[in-house]
Amino acid sequence: MRAVGTLAALAALDALDAQTIARGLAGRGEVLGVEVLETCGSTNSELLSREAVQAPLLLLTEAQSAGRGQRGRRWHASAGAALMFSLRREFAGGAGGLRGLSLAAGVAIAKTLHALGARGVALKWPNDLLASVGTGGAKLGGILIETRSSGDRVTAVIGVGLNCRRMPGLATRLRRKIASLDESIDPLPARNEIAIRIAAELLATLRLFDDAGFEAFREQWQAMHAHQGETLRVRTADGRIVAGIADGVASDGGLLLRTRHGVQCIYSGTVVRATSPRGSAA
């Protein structure tokens, strides 16, 4: 109970504030709408349900009742322990032109966390952030991108969930390793500051992506690939399991695997197991 009470007290002191975030972004040359909700089902769903406008909009929440990650998995977080937000932006052209966007967003977030002092942040294809130092690759955060097309434009909503503070008992309940920023950044900046820094980098990333696509981020992503050179087992969207050695990503974000049948490029799937060259599983 003491840990839970401490977390609640920290949440009250570290509340998200739309005006603070908007001012911080304006100071970095980014003018956009910012909203903070006490609770919602999902920030992605909330933004997708609103009438599309061309101006970017950043929506943050203290709590989500239906937060989700890749393939509909639920995102678990306690109030004040995480940073949960979605950024909506319009792009010209169809959704096909956004291939690799989740990987580019991962680069932006990882770069920001490195600049804040986080050690060993790595990227797991296609949309996870891992804390690899002393954790064996525990999940630190995730990205979920959803799109809606209208005419010659597409609305992209980039949803981000990031563990800021340790949540007692969560790893045991989920039966997997969980990492948080406070394990590698001491003192941990206010969540408003983290949000400002990440959102500013994301906005710059989206502009470059709009001009040059994922190829502009490919080298950076591969440098932070958590499983580069390792043997991976990937469950594809149609349920097949493909095994091979991770050999980077294609210019449009597809995962390249060197298999016994040659190099395969996978665009939709989940890494279910990774084995290092020495044979240890991650």
Side-chain angles (χ1 to χ4, degrees), residues 195-251:
I196 291 166
R197 298 275 292 269
I198 291 177
E201 187 66 35
L202 268 177
L203 288 163
T205 292
L206 297 180
R207 286 193 292 270
L208 180 55
F209 186 94
D210 208 2
D211 291 336
F214 175 67
E215 181 61 31
F217 305 93
R218 182 183 181 188
E219 186 175 335
Q220 296 176 75
W221 192 94
Q222 291 183 153
M224 292 186 279
H225 187 189
H227 300 308
Q228 181 72 10
E230 298 181 6
T231 299
L232 303 183
R233 286 171 56 84
V234 180
R235 179 179 291 112
T236 64
D238 60 5
R240 295 181 300 116
I241 296 292
V242 180
I245 297 174
D247 195 21
V249 287
S251 60

Side-chain angles (χ1 to χ4, degrees), residues 29-58:
E30 303 288 358
V31 179
L32 72 160
V34 179
E35 297 181 28
V36 173
L37 301 177
E38 283 299 317
T39 184
C40 69
S42 156
T43 53
N44 266 28
S45 296
E46 175 68 23
L47 285 185
L48 286 169
S49 70
R50 298 186 183 186
E51 183 178 351
V53 293
Q54 291 189 16
L57 176 62
L58 178 66

